[in-house]
Each structure stands twice: as C-alpha cells, then as structure tokens.
Amino acid sequence: MKNDTTFKELKQSGYTDKTVNQEIQANLIAKIKAKEPVFEGLYGYEDTVIPQLKKAILAGHHINLLGLRGQAKTRIARSMIHLLDEYMPIVKGSEINDSPFHPISKFARDLIAELGDETPISWVHRSDRFFEKLATPDVNVADLIGDIDPIKAATLKLPYSDERVLHYGMIPRANRSIFVLNELPDLQARIQVSLFNILQEGDVQIRGFQLRMPLDIQFVFTANPEDYTNRGSIVTPLKDRIGSQIFTHYPKTIELARQITEQEALISEDDKAKIQVPDLARNLLEEVAFAARESEYVDAKSGVSARLTISAMENLIAAAKLRLLESGSEKTNIRLIDFMSIIPSITGKIELVYEGEQEGADFVAKILIDDAVMTQFESLFPRIPKLEKEGLKNAYTDLIQWFNKNQLELNYADTDEEFYQKLNSIKPLTTLIEDNIPELDEADKNFCKELVLWALTISKKLDKSENASAFSFESTGIGQFFRN
C-alpha cells in the first residue's frame, strides 16, 4: 500500500498521467516486448481469441466478448486487470477516482482550486479498479449512471440542478478503471440506450440535468449469441459503438479441455495424493462434453459449458473419496463405474431439445457417457463386429465365450485389491489388453478392462445391469443375473 502524498510531490516524482486505455496499451506492449505471457490460463485461445484481444486493446476499442456459456468470457475480462498499473493516483476523497491532472467532479475541481499543489493525493491499487455488473432485467439507469439524492440536497440545502446532489452509479465510480457488463442482451433496451453517450461522447444525463462528465473507462461486455433471439438483444446503435466484437469458442482438443478442467476443478492436495485418476479416465471425462456438443438430444445453440467437466471431475473425486471412507482404504483409483456419479453434473449443465426431454435427462446423460466410451474404445481397440460368422474368431470371441460360463459383479465400495482381482480373473480380457495396448501403464490398463466390458454391453455382445451399489456383466444368452 502506497502512502498518501501531495499533488506537488506527485508532479516532482515524474509521474505521467495516462488514460486507462493508454495505460493498458503500454503494459501490453511491455509484456509483448519482454515475451511475457499476457493472458494466462486461457487454454486453446492462443491462436484465436488472444491475438484479437491484443489488437482490440492496441486499437483502443471497447470490447464485446460473444460466445456460448462456459467459454471463459468473464475470465478474459477479469484477466485484463493485470494490464493496469499497480497503483493509480487520485484526488483524495474523490468518489469517481478523479485524476489531479484532469479533475472532472466538482469536489475535485474545487479542492484543487483551493489547495493547488498541496492537494492531498491517495493511491488506488489495480485490484480496486475492476468493476463488474451482471445485466439483469431489473437493472435501472440509477444503478448504472446515478440519480439525484434528495436527502443530500436537503442536508446541503442545494437545488437539484447542483452537481453535488448527485449519487453516482456504478459507471461513474468506475472512472479510470475497467468496467465489465456481463450478459448485455439481458439489459432492457431503454437502459442500453443510456450507455450511448457514455461510450461515445462522455455525457451523462440524470433526470433532465445535463452534466458533462468525460469518463475514462475501458468497457468490456459479454453476451451469448443465443440471447439475440431468445431473452433479448443488443440494440444496434450500442453495437455500433463497441469497437471490437470477439467470438470465443470451446476447446478444440481433448488435451486443451483437460488443461482447463485440471486448472479449474477444486481438488485438495490430500485428495490428489490419495486418489489416482488414470489418463484415460481424464480423457473420457472430456469426451463426455464433446459428445454432448454433438448429441441430437442436446440444444447446440445453448452450448455445453466447460463447467460440466469441471463439476464432473469434482464428483468423480467425491465418489472415490466416499469409497475410501467406507472401505477404510488409504488409496484408490478412479474406475469407469465411478462415472455414474457424474450424471448430476451432466443433467444440470445441458439444455435438451424436445426429443431429449421425452427421453429424460438421466437417460440422455447415460447415452452421452456411452458415446464417450465408444469413442475412446474405438481409438484403442479393433472395432467390434456387428455380425459374427459361425466358426470365425475375432478379437473378442474368447472374452464373450468366457461370459457364457461366468458372471462378473463390480461393486462401487470394493477396495482396489478386491476390484482388480475380479477383473484380472478374466484371462481373455487380460490377453486382449496386452495384445492391443501393451505400452500403457498399469492404471490405464486396469481402466481399459472396464472400458472393454462397457463397450461390449453397448454393442449388445454382453448384458449389463446395475443397482445402487454394483454393476454386473453377463452373457446375453443367460438371462438377467443381477437383481435388485
């Protein structure tokens, strides 16, 4: 925290007054020249969104981030705070961060006129120069711009035409700062109109009182393209005043999606030490989100948020943690049957089309998991033939025949030793793994054993049944083995 000073001392220090955009530009240029990362933690945007963002800042534009939910729009906006100077001088006591070099409020102008070089100066940290507002339908002009305060007018015995009776809204208080307005289309059209002059000319009009207030603000808006035709829209003159519109997107690869999930999921170090998540399990989790974005049951216009996999990862870890508590084990591995615990994370994060609603959210969630399983399975193993010629063996014949004489029950609460002992007892399964993916580590091989069984049930080569505590696998010809 910097100590207060005087205007004279500030000028003697060589401080150069800059607009907020000049400040952001200078720090951006310094980072680029020093080859430092500018926007950290925005995986998958290095060649798309980030270059556009840099150009918009260098152009001095206000920015509209347009994209589906869960595409890090708010994170991008918040990351811009690191492009501000660490401290900014203001006239001490100013409500709107008046610069002593260019005061705009009557309070600051009068104080500087009275004290001159002895005007007290305080410092504002960059963390206090970020303002964020969610544009809900109940937001009004007074919230954003301000209003006349009759109590202040009565107390100071001033007419309503006097600037000192104003109660400033969020935008004037964000002077010389970054102001983020989230979900802009949700803002009523008449409220959007009140932003026209602020963006273009700097005028503020409150209840007929015209006040020239050249605010210095970097605006960042966020919007969902679906909102243009759904809940509301951005009025055309306002769009016209926003310099750059940048489209965001979902991660294009599983690896990028994994990096986002690992960065955002709230998992304690203790849980990470006790619960191993195989690489294939991490990939499968991301495949579920990719499957959802392609599913005929899910509304593509609404999008599938990255929060789905973040929440799902936390649920996976919770399922394994519960197993540790109930079994008294010290460590465990994530299993494929644990993926049933991510269903609540899926159903709460997807919007279904009519066909999906008819099937039900739980049913759709299980289909998405099955689709992800088959995508991963087919990248590792030979395709399961739909029709089998009598007497002709394929890669899965011995395994399927094993189930003609045997049954398998996998319990959620089994210790790892008990769980994998059951899987390892299926010799054709072990042989299949070694023949196709011998290079994988032990944890991934164990996960693949479940993957193969799951894929065979999806392909109707085996039967699978479940209850609250276990899954069972059996031959399709035996009839139901596992009963509630």
Side-chain angles (χ1 to χ4, degrees), residues 25-180:
Q25 284 183 14
N27 289 320
L28 173 63
I29 291 168
K31 282 180 176 287
I32 293 173
K33 287 183 175 179
K35 299 191 182 304
E36 296 177 3
V38 180
F39 300 100
E40 297 186 75
L42 298 176
Y43 298 113
Y45 285 167
E46 294 83 356
D47 300 321
T48 53
V49 174
I50 290 177
Q52 294 181 53
L53 199 56
K54 291 176 180 177
K55 292 170 192 173
I57 291 170
L58 293 174
H61 287 171
H62 299 301
I63 299 167
N64 182 27
L65 297 171
L66 188 65
L68 297 172
R69 55 184 175 164
Q71 290 185 350
K73 299 186 294 295
T74 303
R75 186 184 183 92
I76 292 170
R78 289 174 180 171
S79 67
M80 288 181 65
I81 193 174
H82 301 294
L83 294 176
L84 295 170
D85 291 343
E86 186 174 7
Y87 285 96
M88 173 187 72
I90 67 167
V91 175
K92 188 172 184 178
S94 169
E95 291 183 82
I96 58 171
N97 296 329
D98 276 291
S99 165
F101 296 94
H102 300 98
I104 60 175
S105 72
K106 183 171 177 58
F107 165 82
R109 294 196 306 267
D110 290 349
L111 190 63
I112 292 174
E114 178 186 349
L115 300 179
D117 282 352
E118 296 306 312
T119 301
I121 303 298
S122 58
W123 296 85
V124 178
H125 191 262
R126 62 184 166 209
S127 60
D128 295 320
R129 297 175 61 194
F130 181 87
F131 294 76
E132 187 175 0
K133 178 65 177 173
L134 179 62
T136 53
D138 63 331
V139 172
N140 55 43
V141 174
D143 295 332
L144 295 179
I145 311 301
D147 204 349
I148 292 170
D149 187 343
I151 297 176
K152 188 184 289 186
T155 303
L156 298 176
K157 297 181 180 178
L158 295 171
Y160 286 169
S161 60
D162 194 303
E163 181 183 331
R164 288 171 291 178
V165 306
L166 293 178
H167 174 77
Y168 295 113
M170 285 191 71
I171 290 177
R173 290 175 186 274
N175 184 39
R176 302 173 71 203
S177 304
I178 297 170
F179 187 87
V180 179

Side-chain angles (χ1 to χ4, degrees), residues 219-405:
F219 280 97
V220 180
F221 303 98
T222 73
N224 187 316
E226 176 66 4
D227 290 338
Y228 286 128
T229 56
N230 187 7
R231 297 194 299 266
S233 63
I234 302 176
V235 297
T236 302
L238 181 58
K239 282 195 289 184
D240 186 52
R241 285 166 166 80
I242 301 172
S244 291
Q245 180 167 275
I246 299 173
F247 287 88
T248 58
H249 56 81
Y250 290 121
K252 299 182 185 298
T253 66
I254 294 295
E255 183 56 38
L256 289 171
R258 274 184 56 170
Q259 288 179 288
I260 294 169
T261 300
E262 289 170 21
Q263 174 181 265
E264 299 296 326
L266 299 176
I267 302 170
S268 69
E269 291 301 319
D270 185 53
D271 287 343
K272 289 179 182 178
K274 293 180 178 179
I275 301 166
Q276 182 179 3
V277 186
D279 273 348
L280 290 179
R282 295 181 188 275
N283 291 345
L284 181 62
L285 189 68
E286 304 303 334
E287 287 283 7
V288 173
F290 278 69
R293 291 172 192 138
E294 298 294 327
S295 174
E296 62 182 351
Y297 295 117
V298 178
D299 185 359
K301 292 181 179 179
S302 180
V304 177
S305 169
R307 285 182 282 270
L308 185 152
T309 50
I310 295 166
S311 174
M313 177 60 80
E314 292 167 348
N315 260 337
L316 266 185
I317 297 298
K321 190 171 184 177
L322 181 60
R323 176 163 60 248
L324 290 177
L325 293 170
E326 291 179 344
S327 67
S329 301
E330 290 297 320
K331 292 187 176 182
T332 190
N333 288 272
I334 291 295
R335 307 164 184 173
L336 183 48
I337 65 172
D338 291 332
F339 272 69
M340 291 299 99
S341 67
I342 75 171
I343 289 175
S345 296
I346 299 173
T347 56
K349 299 289 191 298
I350 57 175
E351 293 290 332
L352 301 178
V353 296
Y354 176 77
E355 291 81 359
E357 291 176 348
Q358 295 300 108
E359 296 290 355
D362 276 13
F363 179 81
V364 171
K366 290 179 180 179
I367 286 179
L368 296 178
I369 294 172
D370 285 351
D371 289 346
V373 165
M374 290 307 296
T375 299
Q376 189 173 80
F377 171 82
E378 290 174 356
S379 70
L380 297 169
F381 297 95
R383 187 179 292 270
I384 301 171
K386 292 184 179 179
L387 298 174
E388 299 178 33
K389 294 182 180 179
E390 189 174 349
L392 185 63
K393 292 184 65 174
N394 60 57
Y396 307 100
T397 301
D398 291 343
L399 178 56
I400 293 170
Q401 287 178 351
W402 186 92
F403 278 94
N404 288 337
K405 299 178 181 179

Side-chain angles (χ1 to χ4, degrees), residues 422-437:
K422 293 177 182 178
L423 285 172
N424 293 336
S425 68
I426 310 174
K427 299 304 180 185
L429 182 56
T430 302
T431 302
L432 180 69
I433 300 296
E434 293 300 332
D435 287 347
N436 287 277
I437 46 172

